[in-house]
Amino acid sequence: MHVSTVTQPAATTGGARLWPVPEERRTVSVLFVDIVGSTALVDRLDPEDVRALQQEYFGAVAAVLRRWNGVVEKYVGDAVMALFGGVESDGFDAYRAVRAGLEIQQVLDGRPLAGGTVVRLRVGVATGEAVVDLAAARDAGHGAVSGAVVTLAARLQEHAPRGTVIVCAATRRATADLVAYRDLPPASMAGKPAPVPVWRADGVAPARPTGGETPFIGRRRELAALRDQVVRAVRDGAARWVSVVGPDGVGRSRLLAELARTVRQVDGVPVRWCGAQCPPYPDVPTAPLAALLRDHAGIRVADDPATVRHRLLAACVPAVPAGRLSATVTALGTLLGADVDVGAAERWREVLLALAGRTPLVVAVDDVDRAAPEVGRFLHELFAAATARAVPLVVVVTHRPEWGDLLPLGPADRRHRLTVPPLGTVDTGRLLRHLLGETAPVTRLLPLVAGLPGRARAYAAQAGDDGHAAGEPPVPEAVRRSVSARLDRLDGVGRAAVMAGAVLGAGFTAERLGRLLDLDPEPMRPALRVAAERGLLVWRSARNGYEVADRALARVAYERLPRAVRTEFRRRLATARHDESPRPVRLVGATVPPAVPEPVAAAVAPGTTGRARTRPAATPAAAPPLAASA
């Protein structure tokens, strides 16, 4: 296999992903945990007891970090530094870091370890940009990450009260909808000119309804297609399954919320709804099933046991024979109690089927790709049973296109997939004007938003912060997290193609990428096709080649390249103007050549100046709104 000579290759083991640039600039979350008073503790213990204590402490911390996909970057005395999002981001790196910190405190703080020694812990979590050595981060090597975020995490840990997890502003913003926080006074930290805002993480925040935050614009066709499926199920008295598919930010949740709001009856027949939103990394696999039950019965998390039982009884009376009512309510109570009980899930399925036999029922699960396999099996078995019993029950799920959705068994004409495309330019402009005001200059935002309502909301919120500053605005944090996660879902060659394509600009081909990366272009052809299928690249024509799908994506991809690699790419582009076979130059262990003037418009950073970046990215052609799938 030919190896790129842009840099030395990153070490690859097992299923590690090949990426010809072993360092990236990434937004990561760093966790520091330390024992309070460790110096005094070590002074009074025998060295063998210290060793036993450290082994148990380090082992317990490492086990928690593994559960939350964190990587131990180093041990510093009794402190542990862990990295989240260093190699691959899922968009929830900060959330996983905070949850890991909370679990570490729960498992270790105030509890006796080896020899009966009780330890108290402090945890700090910071989020920010860093340069990451991908091979070292994957293999838990020292020096894997460099940047101010590391120092900030260490300072937060030093400032944290014992038994707590405190976070910086960026971590709080990234997890505001998922974690409950308590305000703390700003902290004075060494090396910081002003006190730093900090917050204490108290636990997982209660689930909040999603989907109604953005105005409903430009989705009448998709809404009509979904309504038609519910209407057909009611009129035919038969089950149906609909998968609503689209990238993050396209408005899947908003479309589902509008469907639930507008379809409450068909031909005068009431339609019952129960829905759930799947959180990332639920505490138990059946959490979405419990959320469906709470929604159906009107149960709140804060309700006392007596109120919960009363509401469960009221919800089950129409569907459960009197002789089985008490046992059913007890079983469903275990489901609400976060127990993984197969029997309780089966009883809940029987209740839903009985309800659908009396009144048409829609079971809606948002972000099902976040759920455990148990939830998918439950829904498939629910649909199969409803099909066999010929009851009007509609299962509606939403997920990203990358998720391997296997439509359940059943009649092909009753299993459907709705692909939600980005909004067109006119509707995107209407949405931005609604969010920013009728007089707002929205033209500069159109290519950045790329028809995604979630992005429009993020840019609009940022515009309120920067006072509608002139020029292209920075990529909002929420958009950067989403884009980075999409990039990291590609394999190494695909990610390289998008990141290098952001340097080349419009109209690149596998041959041009091969020359830029000094790699054989053949392996890049399937990678380019996959990236296009997933919406990260757009195929223009045989003559014009590929282009990164939108400017925000191109900018994030470009900014993840280290400065030395950008410089080398520019040098190769300049050389290619005179020689189509630029000489390989290794950056590792060599002097980086000085930056040269940008040779072509395509080589400038996305979003600055240059002819290749002035026209907005075209919106991919929309597929038919609803296609039946066998």
Side-chain angles (χ1 to χ4, degrees), residues 17-83:
R17 296 179 173 189
L18 172 65
W19 162 230
V21 179
E23 291 185 346
E24 286 186 22
R25 300 174 66 101
R26 300 176 63 92
T27 298
V28 299
S29 291
V30 177
L31 176 149
F32 260 91
V33 57
D34 197 9
I35 297 176
V36 179
S38 59
T39 301
L41 183 65
V42 169
D43 285 344
R44 68 179 176 83
L45 292 178
D46 182 84
E48 292 186 21
D49 296 330
V50 172
R51 180 65 170 169
L53 174 66
Q54 286 180 329
Q55 286 180 329
E56 186 174 353
Y57 160 66
F58 287 141
V61 170
V64 172
L65 293 172
R66 282 194 298 270
R67 281 196 292 275
W68 291 100
N69 295 333
V71 176
V72 175
E73 204 269 354
K74 68 181 63 166
Y75 297 98
V76 185
D78 294 310
V80 181
M81 172 183 162
L83 184 62

Side-chain angles (χ1 to χ4, degrees), residues 76-144:
V76 185
D78 294 310
V80 181
M81 172 183 162
L83 184 62
F84 294 80
V87 177
E88 294 179 8
S89 173
D90 61 357
F92 297 102
D93 309 314
Y95 176 67
R96 289 186 287 109
V98 175
R99 290 297 306 275
L102 290 169
E103 186 175 334
I104 288 170
Q105 292 287 20
Q106 180 184 8
V107 169
L108 290 173
D109 185 69
R111 299 177 182 256
L113 299 181
T117 303
V118 176
V119 298
R120 302 303 308 275
L121 306 178
R122 297 181 299 224
V123 178
V125 178
T127 299
E129 187 180 35
V131 175
V132 180
D133 182 329
L134 300 183
R138 181 184 297 112
D139 300 331
H142 290 277

Side-chain angles (χ1 to χ4, degrees), residues 148 276 364 378 395 411 415 446 491 493 501 525 553 615:
F378 176 91
V395 178
R415 298 172 294 133
L446 288 175
D491 65 15
V493 176
R525 299 187 197 281
L553 170 61
R615 60 185 179 89

Side-chain angles (χ1 to χ4, degrees), residues 251-268:
R252 303 183 310 251
S253 300
R254 184 66 184 89
L255 183 59
L256 187 60
E258 191 68 13
L259 179 69
R261 187 186 71 82
T262 57
V263 183
R264 288 295 174 176
Q265 64 176 14
V266 174
D267 299 335

Side-chain angles (χ1 to χ4, degrees), residues 550-629:
D550 61 79
R551 289 215 326 241
L553 170 61
R555 185 166 176 177
V556 171
Y558 178 87
E559 291 174 353
R560 279 174 55 164
L561 293 168
R563 292 198 307 266
V565 176
R566 298 178 205 170
T567 299
E568 172 62 8
F569 281 169
R570 290 197 295 268
R571 190 196 67 78
R572 291 189 171 198
L573 285 174
T575 304
R577 298 180 64 188
H578 309 288
D579 180 1
E580 287 299 316
S581 301
R583 292 176 298 163
V585 174
R586 296 183 183 273
L587 297 185
V588 173
T591 302
V592 178
V596 296
E598 308 288 353
V600 290
V604 304
T608 53
T609 59
R611 180 174 53 84
R613 294 290 168 190
T614 56
R615 60 185 179 89
T619 301
L626 195 63
S629 300

